[in-house]
Amino acid sequence: MKVGVIGLGSMGMGAALSCLRAGLAVTGCDPREAARAEFAAAGGHAVASAAELPQGTEAVVVLVVNAAQAEAALFGSEVCAARLAPGAVVVCSATMAPDDARRLAAMAGARGLLYLDAPVSGGAAKAREGAMTVMASGPPAAFAAAGPVLDAIATRVWRLGEAPGIGATVKVVHQLLAGVHIAVAAEAMALGIRAGADPRTLYEVVTSAAGNSWMFENRMARVLAGDDAPRSAVDIFVKDLGLVTEMARALDFPVPLAAQAQQLFAAARALGQGGKDDGFVIRVWQALTGIKLPGDDRRR
């Protein structure tokens, strides 16, 4: 099966490598030379533009930042859609508003393409293991066509319905939880440091007790190590929590915790941390209170 993966970031690279391991004929697409070189070194074929995907590609996985990038890659000047085989399936895994998912699905359908509204979760490590969770909606034909790809990249595929937009809705709700969990994990760690608790001991206590969360365990481990290389960046949660507040506003639904968390991520971006790992939203509290983070000495 000829598969294209558009976007070789932390999740897209993992998806592309997982498809490659599954024996699919994979072309990875990314404008960054380093990303293309990494995928090529693993035995894949890499191109800089979606317009360079092999003619007759049967499935394309879109793992870019937002709806605008997805639309540009699929239907804009890069004309990926023109490279796809008749009846090919688009597995659109970018996090976006439900209305955008419905709009892109309509554009795909008008071109005779199948479309899965299929956001993913699991992080970079799960992506490279082929163990992501996919929260997807679309017609049965799209699920069937995407079967080899879904089998390669995920251990759990949620079939949420046939209508596009359902997958995006579930992902936006998921990102409310993810963003708030990261923000409160950073707040708790920062408070402990300010109060004089040993941060490593605090981490061990929390991760062995009822107050733990996956985000605390994962993100605060990076804070302890001073490892701010982005697996998921601060900027991502400025965007994703914005999707939460926009969806809630349209529904006349209050989301005060999501709104506060978004402001914390926005503050981190204003401090120049937008490209850093999202757990380093903790630097907002560092800027406000002068606390020393465990990895500060390592970064000098």
Side-chain angles (χ1 to χ4, degrees), residues 182-205:
I182 294 168
V184 77
E187 181 173 281
M189 180 62 77
L191 175 61
I193 293 171
R194 179 62 182 267
D198 176 73
R200 290 173 180 80
T201 302
L202 175 62
Y203 177 85
E204 294 298 327
V205 170

Side-chain angles (χ1 to χ4, degrees), residues 7 32 39 107 109-111 119 121 175 179 200 255 260-261 286:
R32 297 169 301 148
F39 187 57
M107 295 173 72
R111 291 164 172 80
S121 184
Q175 292 306 85
R200 290 173 180 80
V255 284
Q260 290 182 11
Q286 183 178 41

Side-chain angles (χ1 to χ4, degrees), residues 9-11 13-15 122-130 132 214 222 230-232:
S10 57
M11 301 290 278
M13 180 66 76
K126 291 291 186 184
R128 285 180 179 258
E129 293 169 13
M132 293 191 292
W214 191 92
R222 298 176 195 169
R231 286 74 164 181
S232 173

Side-chain angles (χ1 to χ4, degrees), residues 185-267:
E187 181 173 281
M189 180 62 77
L191 175 61
I193 293 171
R194 179 62 182 267
D198 176 73
R200 290 173 180 80
T201 302
L202 175 62
Y203 177 85
E204 294 298 327
V205 170
V206 172
T207 55
S208 69
N212 190 33
S213 68
W214 191 92
M215 287 299 190
F216 183 94
E217 188 165 349
N218 182 266
R219 298 316 203 257
M220 292 306 103
R222 298 176 195 169
V223 169
L224 291 177
D227 180 8
D228 63 5
R231 286 74 164 181
S232 173
V234 164
D235 281 340
I236 294 295
F237 275 96
V238 175
K239 172 187 73 81
D240 286 1
L241 288 170
L243 293 174
V244 173
T245 57
E246 290 165 11
M247 188 172 81
R249 186 180 304 113
L251 296 169
D252 294 326
F253 189 91
V255 284
L257 297 181
Q260 290 182 11
Q262 188 196 25
Q263 289 302 301
L264 290 167
F265 285 103

